[in-house]
Amino acid sequence: MGTAASRDSGQPRYLQIAEDLAQQIRSGVLAPGTKVPSESELMARYSVSQGTARKAVAELRPTGLIDTHHGKGSFVKSQPPVRRKSSDRFRRSHRKAGKAAYLAESEQAGKTAGVTVLYVGPTEAPAEIAERLGVPDGTKVLARRRLYFSNGTPMEEATSYLPWDIAEAIPELLAENPGGGGIYARLEENGYTLKEFTETVRARLATKQETSALSLSPGSPVIHLIRNAESEEGRVVEVCDTIMAADQFVLDYRIPAGD
């Protein structure tokens, strides 16, 4: 195993080895949860130096195929990414069935969802959030910060910001568990019928805090998604700031082509 890495492809040796390992993972030769060969094993198998073996493993990390744990080594990821369909996840039918978007999405993917509430309470609106809510910087708003899990693995950290006048009028929004269907169900029950959602998506490297919170390998990419929830009256009633492990999600958008 591993001899398929060609010496005459014109690529640096570490790239050849990385591609060979990636092919073994995709073909199932290295199964999910399997430990990736150590540097010493790669050195012997491919007749290369320790530096070349180390570069090969480093080349694999941004692909999302492996997880690296300090002191333990690298392992093949154990679960495929969740496909997040924008045209489906905020359907009103999910809320009426008592399912928040993340729960419905996880069920469709055959995964077990979990959530840890990190903070619920007042905060000062950061500049970008304030602009989206249409309030001055530093205005008092409600923050709801959560960490979401899939099959026990942390997948995303999200903070919802809601105008304080709305939050204080709906007691469930101040509770750790807002009830079936989540905060969008509570908003609609109280007259804030949702008309549309607008998402801004960025890709970047994880910060140290995000790497720790999502149990990512150093240098891992994340998806930074900020979403506005707008009511039929044209008011933005919630802004959700979300950090997602990039290798754990596929974002699926449907875009009309008409006038």
mmCIF file of all heavy atoms in Angstrom, residues 165-208:
data_model
loop_
_atom_site.group_PDB
_atom_site.id
_atom_site.type_symbol
_atom_site.label_atom_id
_atom_site.label_comp_id
_atom_site.label_asym_id
_atom_site.label_seq_id
_atom_site.Cartn_x
_atom_site.Cartn_y
_atom_site.Cartn_z
ATOM 1 N N ASP A 165 -36.359 45.077 22.042
ATOM 2 C CA ASP A 165 -37.792 45.321 22.231
ATOM 3 C C ASP A 165 -38.615 44.093 21.850
ATOM 4 O O ASP A 165 -39.660 43.814 22.439
ATOM 5 C CB ASP A 165 -38.258 46.539 21.423
ATOM 6 C CG ASP A 165 -38.132 46.331 19.922
ATOM 7 O OD1 ASP A 165 -36.986 46.181 19.439
ATOM 8 O OD2 ASP A 165 -39.159 46.308 19.230
ATOM 9 N N ILE A 166 -38.120 43.317 20.868
ATOM 10 C CA ILE A 166 -38.799 42.073 20.498
ATOM 11 C C ILE A 166 -38.534 41.008 21.552
ATOM 12 O O ILE A 166 -39.451 40.307 22.003
ATOM 13 C CB ILE A 166 -38.330 41.593 19.110
ATOM 14 C CG1 ILE A 166 -38.786 42.574 18.026
ATOM 15 C CG2 ILE A 166 -38.857 40.187 18.817
ATOM 16 C CD1 ILE A 166 -38.310 42.199 16.627
ATOM 17 N N ALA A 167 -37.287 40.899 21.971
ATOM 18 C CA ALA A 167 -36.905 39.838 22.910
ATOM 19 C C ALA A 167 -37.622 39.962 24.246
ATOM 20 O O ALA A 167 -38.121 38.968 24.794
ATOM 21 C CB ALA A 167 -35.394 39.863 23.127
ATOM 22 N N GLU A 168 -37.705 41.176 24.787
ATOM 23 C CA GLU A 168 -38.305 41.320 26.115
ATOM 24 C C GLU A 168 -39.811 41.115 26.093
ATOM 25 O O GLU A 168 -40.414 40.846 27.142
ATOM 26 C CB GLU A 168 -37.967 42.697 26.704
ATOM 27 C CG GLU A 168 -38.546 43.878 25.969
ATOM 28 C CD GLU A 168 -38.185 45.206 26.621
ATOM 29 O OE1 GLU A 168 -37.646 45.168 27.757
ATOM 30 O OE2 GLU A 168 -38.435 46.264 26.027
ATOM 31 N N ALA A 169 -40.409 41.187 24.909
ATOM 32 C CA ALA A 169 -41.857 40.958 24.792
ATOM 33 C C ALA A 169 -42.206 39.491 24.573
ATOM 34 O O ALA A 169 -43.378 39.113 24.607
ATOM 35 C CB ALA A 169 -42.422 41.798 23.644
ATOM 36 N N ILE A 170 -41.184 38.653 24.327
ATOM 37 C CA ILE A 170 -41.414 37.226 24.089
ATOM 38 C C ILE A 170 -40.526 36.459 25.070
ATOM 39 O O ILE A 170 -39.359 36.181 24.787
ATOM 40 C CB ILE A 170 -41.075 36.836 22.632
ATOM 41 C CG1 ILE A 170 -41.829 37.729 21.639
ATOM 42 C CG2 ILE A 170 -41.400 35.364 22.376
ATOM 43 C CD1 ILE A 170 -41.460 37.485 20.186
ATOM 44 N N PRO A 171 -41.044 36.109 26.247
ATOM 45 C CA PRO A 171 -40.229 35.489 27.304
ATOM 46 C C PRO A 171 -39.475 34.243 26.857
ATOM 47 O O PRO A 171 -38.358 33.992 27.335
ATOM 48 C CB PRO A 171 -41.267 35.159 28.390
ATOM 49 C CG PRO A 171 -42.384 36.124 28.161
ATOM 50 C CD PRO A 171 -42.436 36.321 26.675
ATOM 51 N N GLU A 172 -40.044 33.450 25.931
ATOM 52 C CA GLU A 172 -39.386 32.213 25.493
ATOM 53 C C GLU A 172 -38.029 32.484 24.848
ATOM 54 O O GLU A 172 -37.135 31.624 24.876
ATOM 55 C CB GLU A 172 -40.272 31.447 24.512
ATOM 56 C CG GLU A 172 -41.564 30.915 25.097
ATOM 57 C CD GLU A 172 -42.711 31.889 24.941
ATOM 58 O OE1 GLU A 172 -42.452 33.098 24.773
ATOM 59 O OE2 GLU A 172 -43.873 31.440 24.998
ATOM 60 N N LEU A 173 -37.856 33.662 24.264
ATOM 61 C CA LEU A 173 -36.594 33.990 23.610
ATOM 62 C C LEU A 173 -35.467 34.168 24.620
ATOM 63 O O LEU A 173 -34.288 34.063 24.264
ATOM 64 C CB LEU A 173 -36.736 35.261 22.768
ATOM 65 C CG LEU A 173 -37.714 35.194 21.595
ATOM 66 C CD1 LEU A 173 -37.746 36.533 20.859
ATOM 67 C CD2 LEU A 173 -37.337 34.073 20.635
ATOM 68 N N LEU A 174 -35.825 34.426 25.885
ATOM 69 C CA LEU A 174 -34.835 34.607 26.931
ATOM 70 C C LEU A 174 -34.510 33.304 27.660
ATOM 71 O O LEU A 174 -33.630 33.275 28.520
ATOM 72 C CB LEU A 174 -35.328 35.645 27.935
ATOM 73 C CG LEU A 174 -35.563 37.058 27.369
ATOM 74 C CD1 LEU A 174 -36.287 37.923 28.382
ATOM 75 C CD2 LEU A 174 -34.254 37.697 26.967
ATOM 76 N N ALA A 175 -35.212 32.234 27.278
ATOM 77 C CA ALA A 175 -34.980 30.931 27.906
ATOM 78 C C ALA A 175 -33.916 30.169 27.135
ATOM 79 O O ALA A 175 -33.733 30.371 25.929
ATOM 80 C CB ALA A 175 -36.275 30.124 27.932
ATOM 81 N N GLU A 176 -33.198 29.260 27.818
ATOM 82 C CA GLU A 176 -32.203 28.442 27.121
ATOM 83 C C GLU A 176 -32.857 27.625 26.020
ATOM 84 O O GLU A 176 -32.331 27.512 24.921
ATOM 85 C CB GLU A 176 -31.475 27.522 28.107
ATOM 86 C CG GLU A 176 -30.426 28.214 28.941
ATOM 87 C CD GLU A 176 -29.469 27.229 29.596
ATOM 88 O OE1 GLU A 176 -29.536 26.017 29.279
ATOM 89 O OE2 GLU A 176 -28.639 27.677 30.407
ATOM 90 N N ASN A 177 -34.005 27.039 26.311
ATOM 91 C CA ASN A 177 -34.757 26.274 25.319
ATOM 92 C C ASN A 177 -35.997 27.072 24.939
ATOM 93 O O ASN A 177 -36.940 27.173 25.733
ATOM 94 C CB ASN A 177 -35.156 24.914 25.877
ATOM 95 C CG ASN A 177 -35.874 24.052 24.844
ATOM 96 O OD1 ASN A 177 -36.197 24.504 23.745
ATOM 97 N ND2 ASN A 177 -36.142 22.807 25.197
ATOM 98 N N PRO A 178 -36.032 27.655 23.737
ATOM 99 C CA PRO A 178 -37.179 28.478 23.353
ATOM 100 C C PRO A 178 -38.409 27.674 22.961
ATOM 101 O O PRO A 178 -39.458 28.255 22.647
ATOM 102 C CB PRO A 178 -36.641 29.275 22.160
ATOM 103 C CG PRO A 178 -35.633 28.369 21.550
ATOM 104 C CD PRO A 178 -34.986 27.630 22.693
ATOM 105 N N GLY A 179 -38.297 26.336 22.962
ATOM 106 C CA GLY A 179 -39.446 25.505 22.620
ATOM 107 C C GLY A 179 -39.376 24.961 21.203
ATOM 108 O O GLY A 179 -38.478 25.305 20.425
ATOM 109 N N GLY A 180 -40.306 24.067 20.888
ATOM 110 C CA GLY A 180 -40.333 23.409 19.584
ATOM 111 C C GLY A 180 -40.354 24.383 18.424
ATOM 112 O O GLY A 180 -41.088 25.372 18.438
ATOM 113 N N GLY A 181 -39.523 24.097 17.420
ATOM 114 C CA GLY A 181 -39.450 24.963 16.252
ATOM 115 C C GLY A 181 -38.454 26.090 16.403
ATOM 116 O O GLY A 181 -38.181 26.814 15.439
ATOM 117 N N GLY A 182 -37.908 26.270 17.631
ATOM 118 C CA GLY A 182 -36.882 27.276 17.841
ATOM 119 C C GLY A 182 -37.389 28.705 17.854
ATOM 120 O O GLY A 182 -38.591 28.977 17.913
ATOM 121 N N ILE A 183 -36.445 29.642 17.782
ATOM 122 C CA ILE A 183 -36.809 31.060 17.924
ATOM 123 C C ILE A 183 -37.652 31.561 16.759
ATOM 124 O O ILE A 183 -38.469 32.471 16.929
ATOM 125 C CB ILE A 183 -35.563 31.947 18.107
ATOM 126 C CG1 ILE A 183 -34.640 31.885 16.886
ATOM 127 C CG2 ILE A 183 -34.799 31.559 19.365
ATOM 128 C CD1 ILE A 183 -33.463 32.845 16.979
ATOM 129 N N TYR A 184 -37.502 30.977 15.574
ATOM 130 C CA TYR A 184 -38.304 31.439 14.446
ATOM 131 C C TYR A 184 -39.777 31.111 14.657
ATOM 132 O O TYR A 184 -40.666 31.885 14.290
ATOM 133 C CB TYR A 184 -37.801 30.823 13.141
ATOM 134 C CG TYR A 184 -36.430 31.313 12.713
ATOM 135 C CD1 TYR A 184 -35.593 30.519 11.946
ATOM 136 C CD2 TYR A 184 -35.968 32.566 13.093
ATOM 137 C CE1 TYR A 184 -34.329 30.964 11.561
ATOM 138 C CE2 TYR A 184 -34.713 33.021 12.715
ATOM 139 C CZ TYR A 184 -33.898 32.215 11.958
ATOM 140 O OH TYR A 184 -32.653 32.660 11.577
ATOM 141 N N ALA A 185 -40.054 29.959 15.263
ATOM 142 C CA ALA A 185 -41.440 29.610 15.578
ATOM 143 C C ALA A 185 -42.026 30.590 16.580
ATOM 144 O O ALA A 185 -43.176 31.021 16.456
ATOM 145 C CB ALA A 185 -41.511 28.181 16.113
ATOM 146 N N ARG A 186 -41.234 30.973 17.603
ATOM 147 C CA ARG A 186 -41.735 31.910 18.605
ATOM 148 C C ARG A 186 -41.972 33.291 17.985
ATOM 149 O O ARG A 186 -42.943 33.969 18.324
ATOM 150 C CB ARG A 186 -40.733 32.036 19.761
ATOM 151 C CG ARG A 186 -40.367 30.735 20.468
ATOM 152 C CD ARG A 186 -41.535 30.144 21.268
ATOM 153 N NE ARG A 186 -42.431 29.377 20.422
ATOM 154 C CZ ARG A 186 -42.165 28.148 19.959
ATOM 155 N NH1 ARG A 186 -41.001 27.568 20.220
ATOM 156 N NH2 ARG A 186 -43.056 27.511 19.221
ATOM 157 N N LEU A 187 -41.082 33.703 17.097
ATOM 158 C CA LEU A 187 -41.272 35.002 16.440
ATOM 159 C C LEU A 187 -42.573 35.012 15.637
ATOM 160 O O LEU A 187 -43.368 35.964 15.716
ATOM 161 C CB LEU A 187 -40.085 35.305 15.524
ATOM 162 C CG LEU A 187 -38.774 35.711 16.209
ATOM 163 C CD1 LEU A 187 -37.615 35.674 15.221
ATOM 164 C CD2 LEU A 187 -38.894 37.104 16.826
ATOM 165 N N GLU A 188 -42.814 33.948 14.872
ATOM 166 C CA GLU A 188 -44.011 33.920 14.025
ATOM 167 C C GLU A 188 -45.284 33.826 14.862
ATOM 168 O O GLU A 188 -46.309 34.408 14.497
ATOM 169 C CB GLU A 188 -43.914 32.772 13.031
ATOM 170 C CG GLU A 188 -42.792 32.977 12.027
ATOM 171 C CD GLU A 188 -43.002 32.230 10.721
ATOM 172 O OE1 GLU A 188 -43.240 31.008 10.775
ATOM 173 O OE2 GLU A 188 -42.922 32.885 9.659
ATOM 174 N N GLU A 189 -45.219 33.104 15.973
ATOM 175 C CA GLU A 189 -46.382 33.009 16.860
ATOM 176 C C GLU A 189 -46.757 34.366 17.443
ATOM 177 O O GLU A 189 -47.907 34.595 17.815
ATOM 178 C CB GLU A 189 -46.095 32.043 18.002
ATOM 179 C CG GLU A 189 -46.034 30.586 17.598
ATOM 180 C CD GLU A 189 -45.515 29.686 18.708
ATOM 181 O OE1 GLU A 189 -45.132 30.223 19.785
ATOM 182 O OE2 GLU A 189 -45.473 28.473 18.494
ATOM 183 N N ASN A 190 -45.776 35.252 17.509
ATOM 184 C CA ASN A 190 -46.008 36.571 18.096
ATOM 185 C C ASN A 190 -46.124 37.679 17.055
ATOM 186 O O ASN A 190 -45.895 38.854 17.355
ATOM 187 C CB ASN A 190 -44.893 36.887 19.094
ATOM 188 C CG ASN A 190 -45.031 36.096 20.385
ATOM 189 O OD1 ASN A 190 -45.705 36.535 21.306
ATOM 190 N ND2 ASN A 190 -44.415 34.931 20.439
ATOM 191 N N GLY A 191 -46.475 37.309 15.834
ATOM 192 C CA GLY A 191 -46.804 38.302 14.815
ATOM 193 C C GLY A 191 -45.688 38.702 13.874
ATOM 194 O O GLY A 191 -45.906 39.517 12.976
ATOM 195 N N TYR A 192 -44.485 38.118 14.044
ATOM 196 C CA TYR A 192 -43.371 38.456 13.163
ATOM 197 C C TYR A 192 -43.233 37.367 12.094
ATOM 198 O O TYR A 192 -42.312 36.548 12.121
ATOM 199 C CB TYR A 192 -42.076 38.607 13.958
ATOM 200 C CG TYR A 192 -42.127 39.734 14.969
ATOM 201 C CD1 TYR A 192 -42.431 39.460 16.306
ATOM 202 C CD2 TYR A 192 -41.906 41.055 14.598
ATOM 203 C CE1 TYR A 192 -42.496 40.472 17.245
ATOM 204 C CE2 TYR A 192 -41.974 42.085 15.520
ATOM 205 C CZ TYR A 192 -42.275 41.788 16.849
ATOM 206 O OH TYR A 192 -42.341 42.810 17.773
ATOM 207 N N THR A 193 -44.156 37.363 11.158
ATOM 208 C CA THR A 193 -44.135 36.368 10.090
ATOM 209 C C THR A 193 -42.918 36.611 9.199
ATOM 210 O O THR A 193 -42.689 37.724 8.720
ATOM 211 C CB THR A 193 -45.413 36.450 9.237
ATOM 212 O OG1 THR A 193 -46.548 36.270 10.099
ATOM 213 C CG2 THR A 193 -45.420 35.367 8.162
ATOM 214 N N LEU A 194 -42.139 35.567 9.000
ATOM 215 C CA LEU A 194 -40.888 35.709 8.257
ATOM 216 C C LEU A 194 -41.133 35.675 6.754
ATOM 217 O O LEU A 194 -41.843 34.803 6.241
ATOM 218 C CB LEU A 194 -39.925 34.593 8.674
ATOM 219 C CG LEU A 194 -39.545 34.620 10.160
ATOM 220 C CD1 LEU A 194 -38.734 33.390 10.531
ATOM 221 C CD2 LEU A 194 -38.776 35.885 10.502
ATOM 222 N N LYS A 195 -40.505 36.620 6.070
ATOM 223 C CA LYS A 195 -40.671 36.733 4.621
ATOM 224 C C LYS A 195 -39.494 36.137 3.878
ATOM 225 O O LYS A 195 -39.674 35.390 2.915
ATOM 226 C CB LYS A 195 -40.825 38.214 4.229
ATOM 227 C CG LYS A 195 -40.986 38.436 2.719
ATOM 228 C CD LYS A 195 -41.078 39.916 2.374
ATOM 229 C CE LYS A 195 -39.761 40.635 2.614
ATOM 230 N NZ LYS A 195 -39.782 42.045 2.137
ATOM 231 N N GLU A 196 -38.269 36.437 4.301
ATOM 232 C CA GLU A 196 -37.099 35.921 3.600
ATOM 233 C C GLU A 196 -35.870 35.923 4.497
ATOM 234 O O GLU A 196 -35.820 36.592 5.529
ATOM 235 C CB GLU A 196 -36.807 36.731 2.332
ATOM 236 C CG GLU A 196 -36.344 38.147 2.584
ATOM 237 C CD GLU A 196 -36.005 38.875 1.285
ATOM 238 O OE1 GLU A 196 -36.380 38.383 0.216
ATOM 239 O OE2 GLU A 196 -35.353 39.926 1.364
ATOM 240 N N PHE A 197 -34.879 35.137 4.068
ATOM 241 C CA PHE A 197 -33.588 35.075 4.736
ATOM 242 C C PHE A 197 -32.518 35.475 3.726
ATOM 243 O O PHE A 197 -32.570 35.074 2.558
ATOM 244 C CB PHE A 197 -33.307 33.655 5.238
ATOM 245 C CG PHE A 197 -34.303 33.158 6.243
ATOM 246 C CD1 PHE A 197 -35.423 32.450 5.837
ATOM 247 C CD2 PHE A 197 -34.124 33.390 7.595
ATOM 248 C CE1 PHE A 197 -36.350 31.983 6.763
ATOM 249 C CE2 PHE A 197 -35.032 32.931 8.528
ATOM 250 C CZ PHE A 197 -36.153 32.229 8.109
ATOM 251 N N THR A 198 -31.549 36.260 4.183
ATOM 252 C CA THR A 198 -30.435 36.674 3.338
ATOM 253 C C THR A 198 -29.142 36.237 4.008
ATOM 254 O O THR A 198 -28.919 36.542 5.184
ATOM 255 C CB THR A 198 -30.416 38.199 3.150
ATOM 256 O OG1 THR A 198 -31.674 38.623 2.609
ATOM 257 C CG2 THR A 198 -29.303 38.610 2.189
ATOM 258 N N GLU A 199 -28.288 35.516 3.255
ATOM 259 C CA GLU A 199 -27.057 34.999 3.823
ATOM 260 C C GLU A 199 -25.828 35.573 3.125
ATOM 261 O O GLU A 199 -25.803 35.690 1.895
ATOM 262 C CB GLU A 199 -27.018 33.470 3.731
ATOM 263 C CG GLU A 199 -28.097 32.785 4.559
ATOM 264 C CD GLU A 199 -28.002 31.280 4.535
ATOM 265 O OE1 GLU A 199 -27.384 30.733 3.600
ATOM 266 O OE2 GLU A 199 -28.557 30.643 5.445
ATOM 267 N N THR A 200 -24.830 35.918 3.916
ATOM 268 C CA THR A 200 -23.525 36.336 3.420
ATOM 269 C C THR A 200 -22.524 35.270 3.860
ATOM 270 O O THR A 200 -22.447 34.946 5.050
ATOM 271 C CB THR A 200 -23.110 37.697 4.000
ATOM 272 O OG1 THR A 200 -24.099 38.675 3.648
ATOM 273 C CG2 THR A 200 -21.757 38.122 3.457
ATOM 274 N N VAL A 201 -21.775 34.722 2.902
ATOM 275 C CA VAL A 201 -20.881 33.601 3.191
ATOM 276 C C VAL A 201 -19.439 33.985 2.879
ATOM 277 O O VAL A 201 -19.148 34.493 1.794
ATOM 278 C CB VAL A 201 -21.271 32.353 2.367
ATOM 279 C CG1 VAL A 201 -20.364 31.176 2.713
ATOM 280 C CG2 VAL A 201 -22.734 31.994 2.607
ATOM 281 N N ARG A 202 -18.564 33.732 3.845
ATOM 282 C CA ARG A 202 -17.135 33.962 3.660
ATOM 283 C C ARG A 202 -16.392 32.676 4.021
ATOM 284 O O ARG A 202 -16.878 31.883 4.820
ATOM 285 C CB ARG A 202 -16.622 35.089 4.564
ATOM 286 C CG ARG A 202 -17.389 36.401 4.490
ATOM 287 C CD ARG A 202 -16.758 37.413 5.439
ATOM 288 N NE ARG A 202 -17.455 38.694 5.434
ATOM 289 C CZ ARG A 202 -18.283 39.104 6.375
ATOM 290 N NH1 ARG A 202 -18.527 38.322 7.415
ATOM 291 N NH2 ARG A 202 -18.868 40.275 6.304
ATOM 292 N N ALA A 203 -15.213 32.508 3.466
ATOM 293 C CA ALA A 203 -14.337 31.391 3.846
ATOM 294 C C ALA A 203 -13.023 31.974 4.357
ATOM 295 O O ALA A 203 -12.488 32.922 3.774
ATOM 296 C CB ALA A 203 -14.079 30.483 2.650
ATOM 297 N N ARG A 204 -12.527 31.425 5.452
ATOM 298 C CA ARG A 204 -11.267 31.900 6.033
ATOM 299 C C ARG A 204 -10.707 30.813 6.939
ATOM 300 O O ARG A 204 -11.348 29.775 7.159
ATOM 301 C CB ARG A 204 -11.483 33.195 6.819
ATOM 302 C CG ARG A 204 -12.503 33.087 7.945
ATOM 303 C CD ARG A 204 -12.501 34.352 8.783
ATOM 304 N NE ARG A 204 -13.549 34.407 9.774
ATOM 305 C CZ ARG A 204 -13.536 33.742 10.942
ATOM 306 N NH1 ARG A 204 -12.504 32.962 11.236
ATOM 307 N NH2 ARG A 204 -14.526 33.862 11.806
ATOM 308 N N LEU A 205 -9.505 31.054 7.465
ATOM 309 C CA LEU A 205 -8.911 30.119 8.407
ATOM 310 C C LEU A 205 -9.497 30.343 9.804
ATOM 311 O O LEU A 205 -9.834 31.477 10.175
ATOM 312 C CB LEU A 205 -7.393 30.283 8.447
ATOM 313 C CG LEU A 205 -6.648 29.982 7.150
ATOM 314 C CD1 LEU A 205 -5.147 30.169 7.359
ATOM 315 C CD2 LEU A 205 -6.953 28.575 6.655
ATOM 316 N N ALA A 206 -9.609 29.276 10.566
ATOM 317 C CA ALA A 206 -10.161 29.366 11.914
ATOM 318 C C ALA A 206 -9.215 30.121 12.841
ATOM 319 O O ALA A 206 -7.997 30.019 12.733
ATOM 320 C CB ALA A 206 -10.419 27.967 12.462
ATOM 321 N N THR A 207 -9.797 30.888 13.764
ATOM 322 C CA THR A 207 -9.007 31.508 14.826
ATOM 323 C C THR A 207 -8.670 30.437 15.871
ATOM 324 O O THR A 207 -9.196 29.315 15.830
ATOM 325 C CB THR A 207 -9.803 32.634 15.504
ATOM 326 O OG1 THR A 207 -10.951 32.058 16.164
ATOM 327 C CG2 THR A 207 -10.273 33.666 14.487
ATOM 328 N N LYS A 208 -7.805 30.778 16.818
ATOM 329 C CA LYS A 208 -7.459 29.822 17.875
ATOM 330 C C LYS A 208 -8.701 29.424 18.663
ATOM 331 O O LYS A 208 -8.883 28.251 19.029
ATOM 332 C CB LYS A 208 -6.408 30.420 18.805
ATOM 333 C CG LYS A 208 -5.014 30.492 18.205
ATOM 334 C CD LYS A 208 -3.998 30.959 19.236
ATOM 335 C CE LYS A 208 -2.579 30.973 18.645
ATOM 336 N NZ LYS A 208 -1.578 31.421 19.645
#
